[in-house]
């Protein structure tokens, strides 16, 4: 599908939706990549349900709904964590810039870049709808992977919250955290893998392949960067604990069954 009027117009609508939602980052800088991220994904799912309402199939409608579920769950979780966790707020003040000394032009560039990335991430679903493809084996496989990713991330967040309620001063190594140290980031990767896989058979030309690949590669990179940042913080907090030392030596950081136990020294990873 080339750059037809409809194709370009609908893509721009999704971009404008993301710009509107992620503008919350001008209120608080971190929201560009937290609340703005989650709710932008949800808003795109809702927008595509409306834009393509006449051509939806069960499979494509379900993908849009899953985008809404994913985004609202993530955004809601981040909002509640920030509101209820004093320890989280202290850590974020140390690790994330508040943007107070940043020039407005720089903030605008970050705002636009984030919004564009969010559109590229969901572009596989958009391409399937815009190109007029309904449900097929690839879309259903991708949808199943998406559901698995949401479930994995949700369970991981719940298990960590419960572990912190029981012992707020100890690292979490129960449940999914016995398998990998960052199962929530793994869930993110699984979810976006499902998105990418769902349209493998319908990408048309360099533009669509490039957009889908950029969105997928960028979010995987960001998840590994987030894992690195978490590893550094946990090492600072628990590094002197012999139990933690044993835990990190035997538990992969993000990918199960892959003997990758640390990314701390990979300074090119930025989360």
């Amino acid at each position: 599908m080339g750059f037809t009027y409809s194709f370009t117009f609908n893509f721009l609508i999704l971009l404008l939706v993301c710009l509107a939602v992620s503008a919350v980052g001008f209120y608080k800088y971190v929201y560009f990549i937290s609340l703005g991220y989650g709710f932008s994904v949800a808003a795109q799912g809702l927008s595509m349900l409306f834009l393509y309402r006449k051509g939806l199939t069960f499979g494509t409608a379900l993908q849009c709904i899953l985008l809404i579920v994913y985004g609202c769950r993530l955004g809601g979780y981040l909002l509640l964590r920030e509101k209820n966790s004093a320890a989280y707020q202290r850590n974020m003040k140390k690790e994330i810039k508040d943007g107070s000394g940043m020039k407005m032009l720089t903030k605008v560039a970050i705002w636009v870049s984030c919004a564009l990335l969010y559109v590229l991430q969901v572009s596989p679903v958009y391409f399937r709808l815009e190109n007029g493809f309904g449900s097929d084996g690839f879309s259903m496989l991708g949808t199943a992977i998406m559901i698995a990713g949401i479930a994995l991330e949700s369970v991981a967040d719940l298990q960590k919250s419960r572990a912190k309620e029981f012992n707020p001063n100890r690292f979490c190594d129960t449940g999914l955290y016995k398998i990998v140290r960052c199962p929530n980031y793994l869930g993110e990767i699984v979810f976006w893998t499902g998105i990418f896989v769902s349209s493998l058979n319908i990408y048309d030309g360099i533009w669509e392949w490039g957009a889908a690949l950029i969105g997928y590669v960028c979010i995987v990179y960001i998840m590994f960067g987030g894992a690195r940042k978490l590893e550094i913080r946990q090492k600072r907090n628990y590094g002197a604990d012999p139990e933690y030392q044993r835990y990190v030596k035997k538990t992969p950081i993000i990918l199960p069954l892959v003997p990758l136990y640390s990314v701390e020294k990979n300074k090119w990873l930025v989360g």
Side-chain angles (χ1 to χ4, degrees):
M1 176 70 70
F3 282 94
T4 62
Y5 174 80
S6 171
F7 188 90
T8 305
F9 182 73
N10 289 337
F11 184 88
L12 288 177
I13 286 178
L14 295 182
L15 179 59
L16 288 173
V17 165
C18 288
L19 286 170
V21 174
S22 59
V24 68
F26 288 107
Y27 171 74
K28 191 171 183 179
Y29 177 72
V30 69
Y31 288 169
F32 281 132
I33 56 174
S34 59
L35 301 185
Y37 167 48
F39 291 125
S40 287
V41 172
Q44 287 186 89
L46 184 61
S47 297
M48 286 189 287
L49 281 177
F50 176 77
L51 289 171
Y52 300 100
R53 59 192 181 279
K54 295 182 179 179
L56 290 170
T57 62
F58 172 78
T60 54
L62 181 56
Q63 283 188 302
C64 292
I65 291 171
L66 288 175
L67 287 171
I68 297 171
V69 171
Y70 165 87
C72 289
R73 191 215 70 84
L74 178 61
Y77 173 80
L78 293 173
L79 191 61
L80 287 174
R81 183 175 66 176
E82 180 173 329
K83 181 180 179 181
N84 299 329
S85 176
Y88 173 79
Q89 294 180 30
R90 288 194 300 269
N91 285 329
M92 291 305 100
K93 286 181 179 179
K94 295 177 184 177
E95 297 186 22
I96 297 181
K97 297 178 181 179
D98 61 8
S100 58
M102 189 175 294
K103 295 181 179 179
M104 179 55 68
L105 184 60
T106 303
K107 285 186 178 181
V108 170
I110 292 172
W111 171 49
V112 174
S113 298
C114 287
L116 179 59
L117 174 59
Y118 304 153
V119 178
L120 295 180
Q121 286 177 237
V122 305
S123 65
V125 179
Y126 166 69
F127 294 145
R128 176 171 289 277
L129 288 166
E130 183 62 35
N131 292 342
F133 288 91
S135 305
D136 56 27
F138 277 91
S139 69
M140 298 312 294
L141 173 61
T143 299
I145 297 173
M146 290 169 66
I147 293 172
I150 293 175
L152 180 60
E153 187 175 10
S154 300
V155 172
D157 287 340
L158 180 61
Q159 289 177 339
K160 188 169 186 178
S161 294
R162 288 180 174 176
K164 287 298 182 180
E165 288 177 3
F166 180 76
N167 189 346
N169 297 316
R170 190 181 188 281
F171 61 94
C172 180
D173 61 346
T174 57
L176 294 172
Y177 291 83
K178 291 181 179 180
I179 302 172
V180 292
R181 304 207 305 277
C182 300
N184 49 344
Y185 293 154
L186 173 61
E188 286 264 348
I189 292 173
V190 170
F191 178 82
W192 291 110
T193 298
I195 293 283
F196 181 71
V197 167
S198 71
S199 294
L200 277 177
N201 62 323
I202 61 93
Y203 295 131
D204 183 13
I206 295 176
W207 148 244
E208 292 188 11
W209 274 104
L213 278 170
I214 290 172
Y216 179 61
V217 170
C218 282
I219 192 59
V220 172
Y221 169 82
I222 290 169
M223 289 303 104
F224 272 88
R228 177 178 180 268
K229 185 178 293 184
L230 179 62
E231 179 183 5
I232 293 172
R233 182 167 74 242
Q234 289 188 332
K235 183 177 181 179
R236 182 172 62 243
N237 294 337
Y238 312 117
D241 185 343
E243 288 189 17
Y244 178 75
Q245 293 177 10
R246 289 192 292 270
Y247 173 62
V248 298
K249 289 179 180 178
K250 69 178 184 180
T251 310
I253 188 163
I254 195 168
L255 298 176
L257 306 178
V258 176
L260 178 64
Y261 300 100
S262 174
V263 291
E264 179 184 2
K265 295 181 180 180
N266 300 106
K267 295 182 179 180
W268 54 274
L269 289 173
V270 180

